[in-house]
Amino acid sequence: MRTGSDKYRSTALSALLIAFPIVASAQEACTTYTVTDGDTLGTIAQAAYGSYDYQMIFNANRDALAANPNNLPAGLQLILPCEDGRLTPDSELSSIIQQETAEQEATRTNSNTYEPPLKFVSSNNWMPFADESLTGGGIFVRMAATAMQRGGNDRGYNINYVDDWMSHIDVLLPSGAFDVSIAWESPDCSKLDLLGEFSVRMCTEFDFSLPIYETAYAFNTLNDSKYAAAREFADYAGARICRPEAWPISDLEVQGLVEPLVTYVHPKSPLECAEMLINGEVDLYSIEAETASANFTELNANDRVSPNPALATFITYHFLTSKSNPRGRVYIAMLNRGITEMRESGEWYDIVATGLAEYNKLSQ
C-alpha cells in the first residue's frame, strides 16, 4: 500500500526529473540517467562518482528502487545527485531544514502541562549516523531530534550516548533507563521461521518506528578473493562473513546464508571487521557502504578491497522501544508523525544530504 508520503515523494521527484535540462546518456552527477541493460547501481555510481558507493543514488530514488534494487529495468530514469548531495545544480542544501524550523518556531505554543522529556540513547563511532562529534550527533540523531518537533509534536527530550549497543537491548530499554534507542535494523518479522534467535527476539520484545533510513549493505572482499565474482547469494557458500556485534544478520538469514553453510564472526566494532578482512581472517565484510568506506579509508586499504557491484541487501533502520515500556507505543506514534512530515516536506532528504556532505568533508 502506498502512503501519502510515498505519493508526495513520487510527485516531487517527477517534478525534479522534468526540471533537469537533459537526461544524460552517460552516468554524470547532477543529471538524470536512463538505465540500460546490464547496469547496476554499483556500476552507475562508479561511472558518476568514481566509487561503487551508490547510497546517494538510492536516497534520491528510494521509491523507484526500494522494490528491487538488485535488478534495474532498462528505461528506468534515475536522479544522479550532485557530488555534494544536492538534487539539482541550482538547489541548496539545508534550505528545507531552515524553512521547516522557522515554521515550527512561528507556530510554537506554550503548554502548562508538564510532560517528562523523552530519554533517547545512541552510541558513538557509527559514522555518519551517530557520533557526538558530528553536527546534531549524526544523521540518525538529528532525525530523532527533528521528529520531536514535527508532525504536531513539541515535546522535550534528551539524548545520551552509551557505547555498548547490546546494553541498549539487554538492559537500558527493558529497565526503562531510556525510552528510545537510535537506531536499529528491523528484521522481516513475517519470516520468523527463517530468522535466528537474536532477530526473533527483536521482533517479539521490541517495537519499531517507521523507517528512518534505507541503506545498502555491501559485500566487501579482497580483490583476489574467489568470492569477489559472486553473482548469487548461493555463491557465498563456505565463506567466513564478518558483521559486528549488535548488527543483526536477518537480511542474510532470509537469503539462506545461515550456519553451517557460512560461518559468522561478530567482533565488537565495524573497524575490527575491516581489519579482519584485510588480514585474511574473514572472506566477506558486510555492512552499510558508508561505514565500510570509512573503515577502509582509515586503514588506507581502499585499493585492496572490492565491493560486489551486483549483490547487496537493503536494510531499514528505525527508532526502537521496548514492549515493556508502558508509554513505548505512544512515543513511537509521536516519532512516526514527525517522520511522516519530514518525508513529505523533503526535510528528511535535506538532513541525509547535509549529514553525508559534512562527513565527506571530514573524511577528505
Side-chain angles (χ1 to χ4, degrees):
M1 181 179 70
R2 293 173 60 81
T3 65
S5 60
D6 289 332
K7 294 176 181 177
Y8 182 97
R9 181 73 175 168
S10 297
T11 302
L13 291 182
S14 297
L16 281 168
L17 288 169
I18 295 170
F20 273 113
I22 58 172
V23 174
S25 58
Q27 299 96 315
E28 301 171 4
C30 279
T31 63
T32 61
Y33 171 69
T34 301
V35 172
T36 61
D37 287 332
D39 281 340
T40 68
L41 288 177
T43 58
I44 294 171
Q46 176 67 26
Y49 307 108
S51 166
Y52 283 117
D53 182 355
Y54 46 79
Q55 184 65 47
M56 189 158 59
I57 298 175
F58 186 83
N59 291 341
N61 300 275
R62 57 181 295 271
D63 287 343
L65 295 174
N68 196 351
N70 286 322
N71 184 17
L72 303 183
L76 177 66
Q77 288 192 5
L78 298 176
I79 297 172
L80 304 187
C82 306
E83 293 195 19
D84 62 3
R86 291 174 298 146
L87 289 175
T88 64
D90 57 353
S91 61
E92 294 183 13
L93 289 178
S94 296
S95 59
I96 297 178
I97 295 174
Q98 295 168 6
Q99 174 184 320
E100 294 297 311
T101 300
E103 182 176 328
Q104 176 76 18
E105 290 299 319
T107 58
R108 186 185 301 277
T109 58
N110 294 323
S111 173
N112 293 325
T113 303
Y114 172 75
E115 293 180 299
L118 264 70
K119 297 171 291 185
F120 288 98
V121 61
S122 192
S123 181
N124 286 295
N125 301 314
W126 188 14
M127 304 288 190
F129 304 111
D131 192 275
E132 292 174 278
S133 69
L134 300 173
T135 299
I139 291 172
F140 290 169
V141 178
R142 288 178 66 188
M143 286 183 182
T146 304
M148 294 305 299
Q149 305 299 312
R150 302 290 185 267
N153 301 320
D154 189 11
R155 181 71 173 268
Y157 61 89
N158 55 58
I159 297 171
N160 288 276
Y161 294 78
V162 176
D163 296 341
D164 179 352
W165 281 107
M166 285 306 299
S167 71
H168 298 200
I169 294 296
D170 292 336
V171 178
L172 300 180
L173 293 184
S175 69
F178 291 93
D179 298 309
V180 181
S181 182
I182 310 169
W184 290 80
E185 169 192 334
S186 174
D188 185 347
C189 296
S190 69
K191 299 179 180 178
L192 284 179
D193 58 322
L194 299 177
L195 301 180
E197 181 180 352
F198 180 73
S199 298
V200 170
R201 181 185 174 199
M202 295 294 284
C203 289
T204 57
E205 297 182 14
F206 298 91
D207 288 320
F208 295 84
S209 72
L210 292 173
I212 59 170
Y213 196 70
E214 298 88 353
T215 187
Y217 268 39
F219 291 86
N220 301 278
T221 64
L222 294 177
N223 294 336
D224 58 357
S225 170
K226 67 179 182 179
Y227 297 106
R231 291 299 176 265
E232 297 180 357
F233 290 108
D235 294 337
Y236 288 137
R240 298 164 297 172
I241 303 176
C242 194
R243 182 157 302 170
E245 181 184 81
W247 266 253
I249 58 171
S250 58
D251 58 307
L252 304 177
E253 291 168 339
V254 298
Q255 297 296 340
L257 295 178
V258 297
E259 294 182 325
L261 182 67
V262 297
T263 301
Y264 285 106
V265 181
H266 302 291
K268 284 284 187 183
S269 72
L271 186 62
E272 289 176 84
C273 269
E275 291 171 335
M276 294 180 77
L277 181 67
I278 297 303
N279 293 333
E281 299 171 47
V282 296
D283 302 302
L284 296 171
Y285 173 27
S286 173
I287 204 165
E288 28 338 296
E290 295 96 335
T291 301
S293 177
N295 292 160
F296 295 131
T297 297
E298 182 172 345
L299 297 173
N300 195 29
N302 282 306
D303 60 339
R304 300 177 58 188
V305 177
S306 297
N308 191 313
L311 284 178
T313 56
F314 281 78
I315 308 300
T316 58
Y317 282 104
H318 309 250
F319 303 129
L320 187 73
T321 65
S322 172
K323 290 183 183 292
S324 64
N325 187 328
R327 299 282 292 172
R329 292 190 176 181
V330 174
Y331 299 150
I332 290 295
M334 292 175 60
L335 290 164
N336 285 347
R337 291 197 300 268
I339 294 165
T340 299
E341 182 174 306
M342 291 157 60
R343 292 281 198 186
E344 292 177 348
S345 69
E347 190 174 17
W348 175 89
Y349 183 84
D350 226 1
I351 291 173
V352 170
T354 54
L356 291 176
E358 175 194 27
Y359 180 68
N360 289 337
K361 288 181 180 179
L362 293 174
S363 301
Q364 291 176 354

